[in-house]
Amino acid sequence: MRMRRLKWAEDYLKTSPSRMMEPEKVKGRWKRKLKTDGALHVEIGAGKGSYSHDMAKMNPEDGFIAIEKNESAAGMISKKYDESPLPNLKMIYGDATDLRNWFQNREADIIHLNFSDPWPKRRNAKRRLSSPAFLDQYRDILSEEGEIWMKTDNSSLFEYSILQMLQAGFELIDFSVDYRRDEHPEDAITEYERKFMEAGNPIYRSVWKKGRRKND
């Protein structure tokens, strides 16, 4: 779903307090920056930003970073966070291909992939957030007991992601093809997720634990 361009987003992002202007300078010090001793959560492709905001509010002992590369979406996120600030929440406006520049090895504890763009055409598979190049980065920045939490409404992306993560050596520890048939108050519902639920569509979810590379 393509978001319409918001003309005000570019200027707003230049001065937003919730945006980390130079995230590479916080590399290795994110928990200190967020004033938390709990887990460090990183949401990649944060959309309108409500998931990380809700999760940060529910888990004040943890730190949360929302990453979004779309300028208009990033503007909406930063405005939302500025209007309802939380000390344990920041956002990064940038592309997740730069993860290694922003996070030290083993610095993140949980990576969230919520309703990522499925990039359905085979020639665009490398752009999927569960493609091998991204999984290599996740492995580097995740702690030894780190996890990936994935939710999607797209069955093809879900199948692709399961195969890629298994091949990359991640360990599947939780799995559902109808996640919201039960209540999960511990897990916030995203904007897209609510729309899918109201339409009666199933939500696919998997949780992966960092394992050893097959060649290690």
Side-chain angles (χ1 to χ4, degrees):
M1 185 182 299
R2 186 175 295 276
M3 177 177 290
R4 66 183 179 87
R5 183 175 180 274
L6 302 177
K7 295 181 180 179
W8 54 265
E10 181 179 2
D11 287 336
Y12 189 88
L13 284 165
K14 292 176 182 177
T15 58
S16 170
S18 63
R19 178 191 170 192
M20 293 303 304
M21 298 296 178
E22 298 178 295
E24 64 278 4
K25 292 186 177 181
V26 193
K27 182 176 181 178
R29 300 185 294 109
W30 282 104
K31 290 186 180 182
R32 191 185 316 167
K33 180 69 177 179
L34 298 173
K35 298 180 174 62
T36 178
D37 293 324
L40 181 64
H41 298 247
V42 178
E43 183 185 8
I44 301 174
K48 296 180 181 179
S50 67
Y51 180 81
S52 282
H53 188 274
D54 291 346
M55 291 291 283
K57 193 172 183 178
M58 288 192 292
N59 301 277
E61 72 282 359
D62 291 351
F64 289 81
I65 302 166
I67 298 174
E68 178 55 56
K69 70 175 182 178
N70 179 279
E71 181 181 86
S72 296
M76 292 179 67
I77 293 171
S78 59
K79 192 170 189 294
K80 182 193 300 285
Y81 293 178
D82 292 342
E83 291 175 349
S84 182
L86 296 170
N88 60 331
L89 174 66
K90 290 290 183 181
M91 67 86 64
I92 294 175
Y93 169 43
D95 196 300
T97 54
D98 290 325
L99 283 175
R100 290 190 183 99
N101 294 331
W102 303 332
F103 300 97
Q104 198 170 56
N105 284 359
R106 298 182 292 280
E107 185 171 16
D109 297 296
I110 299 173
I111 290 174
H112 297 268
L113 304 177
N114 291 317
F115 303 92
S116 308
D117 192 329
W119 292 103
K121 294 183 179 179
R122 183 175 296 180
R123 68 173 180 269
N124 291 325
K126 65 182 180 180
R127 298 187 179 186
R128 298 170 189 161
L129 291 179
S130 51
S131 66
F134 281 107
L135 293 179
D136 280 347
Q137 291 197 78
Y138 303 160
R139 180 185 295 281
D140 286 345
I141 71 168
L142 278 172
S143 60
E144 290 305 318
E145 298 297 318
E147 296 178 355
I148 299 174
W149 297 5
M150 178 183 181
K151 290 191 290 187
T152 182
D153 68 307
N154 189 291
S155 59
S156 295
L157 177 63
F158 193 60
E159 293 165 359
Y160 168 87
S161 301
I162 287 173
L163 289 175
Q164 295 302 319
M165 292 189 190
L166 286 173
Q167 290 173 8
F170 286 87
E171 177 188 354
L172 180 62
I173 60 175
D174 198 11
F175 173 90
S176 178
V177 294
D178 193 4
Y179 179 57
R180 291 298 179 182
R181 66 187 164 204
D182 300 317
E183 292 187 6
H184 292 279
E186 78 287 354
D187 185 52
I189 298 174
T190 76
E191 300 95 337
Y192 290 125
E193 187 173 8
R194 191 172 299 282
K195 291 180 181 179
F196 299 138
M197 290 168 62
E198 291 173 351
N201 297 336
I203 304 300
Y204 304 97
R205 184 180 187 261
S206 60
V207 176
W208 300 83
K209 188 172 182 179
K210 179 178 175 179
R212 295 175 60 87
R213 289 186 178 90
K214 289 194 174 183
N215 294 329
D216 287 355

